[in-house]
Amino acid sequence: MIRNQKRLAISGIVLAFALGGCAQQGGYSGGSSGGAPAGSQGQMSNTSKGAIAGGVIGALAGGLTQGHDKAKRALIGAGIGALAGAAVGNYMDRQEQQMRQQLAGSGVEVSRQGDNVVLNLPENLTFDTGSAKLKPAAQAELNKVAAVLKQNPQTVVDVSGHTDSTGSDAVNNPLSQKRAGAVAAYLVRDGVPQSRLVVNGYGASRPIADNATDAGRAANRRVEITLLPLTQG
């Protein structure tokens, strides 16, 4: 069952990008001068964009939850060298500094946990209540995140969705998975290889604040992107 879900998820991503490549052939940018007229074959319609985005998000939200070890093996298999010794800390120091510079003033919190770098994207930046559709402000910040990730290929990217304790697990668990999938899918569309991603939704099971207060519940509604170095062993 799990294997079938993974196959379907990967197939959905491949199909989505294949459709995207076909739809974009012709190079029409929609500018006011030159290029093909509106409605020509070269133009990618909003409907096509929506279908492609939905396919990628659906694939990642549908249970593509490979473990960290599998993601690391995929990177090594792709020719990405593993880090060792002092190189690990230096590499993550640089990546942390790049993230802090790019995301300063954005509302995204950057923290360090050992050799890992954690980006905390609060709900008020990323999603409307009960929605898994990324806000434009979140997309702008994820563009910056993707740019740094592409400069640092020796990193596994763990994307996890979290909710507060309001509502049932039947609602919170799939919502958190879909939100994590939406963030991961945006990174993939921005050029981050899917093989680097680990995507999970945890619902209300991993709070970082007290759910008894409004401020605590707001803090718990988040998506975290944890960057783990590709190490030997």
Side-chain angles (χ1 to χ4, degrees), residues 15-228:
L15 177 60
F17 282 105
L19 290 172
C22 293
Q24 290 176 335
Q25 287 179 355
Y28 176 57
S29 63
S32 58
S33 61
S40 70
Q41 283 187 324
Q43 185 177 9
M44 185 178 179
S45 70
N46 289 332
T47 301
S48 297
K49 290 179 183 177
I52 293 166
V56 177
I57 291 172
L60 287 169
L64 188 60
T65 56
Q66 64 175 342
H68 297 155
D69 288 343
K70 185 174 182 180
K72 289 180 178 181
R73 288 196 300 270
L75 290 178
I76 292 172
I80 305 298
L83 300 161
V88 176
N90 293 335
Y91 183 80
M92 298 310 290
D93 286 345
R94 183 185 68 195
Q95 197 166 182
E96 177 188 6
Q97 184 60 30
Q98 290 173 327
M99 287 295 184
R100 290 187 183 279
Q101 291 175 346
Q102 290 296 319
L103 299 171
S106 67
V108 178
E109 178 184 346
V110 182
S111 61
R112 185 71 172 263
Q113 297 179 4
D115 285 330
N116 300 338
V117 176
V118 181
L119 312 179
N120 184 326
L121 288 72
E123 182 193 54
N124 61 3
L125 171 68
T126 49
F127 302 101
D128 290 326
T129 301
S131 171
K133 180 180 179 181
L134 279 168
K135 293 180 179 180
Q139 295 177 12
E141 301 311 322
L142 288 174
N143 289 337
K144 301 173 186 177
V145 172
V148 174
L149 292 177
K150 287 184 286 186
Q151 293 174 28
N152 297 276
Q154 293 164 293
T155 307
V156 171
V157 184
D158 182 304
V159 184
S160 60
H162 306 269
T163 69
D164 63 27
S165 61
T166 304
S168 67
D169 289 345
V171 173
N172 290 333
N173 291 346
L175 177 62
S176 66
Q177 180 72 44
K178 289 177 182 177
R179 287 180 168 182
V183 169
Y186 195 88
L187 295 175
V188 171
R189 290 200 299 271
D190 226 8
V192 178
Q194 175 268 323
S195 59
R196 297 176 64 181
L197 296 170
V198 178
V199 185
N200 287 291
Y202 294 103
S205 66
R206 297 189 177 186
I208 57 174
D210 188 353
N211 275 306
T213 68
D214 289 341
R217 288 190 293 273
N220 290 331
R221 299 190 297 268
R222 69 202 190 278
V223 172
E224 291 182 350
I225 302 175
T226 302
L227 312 180
L228 303 93

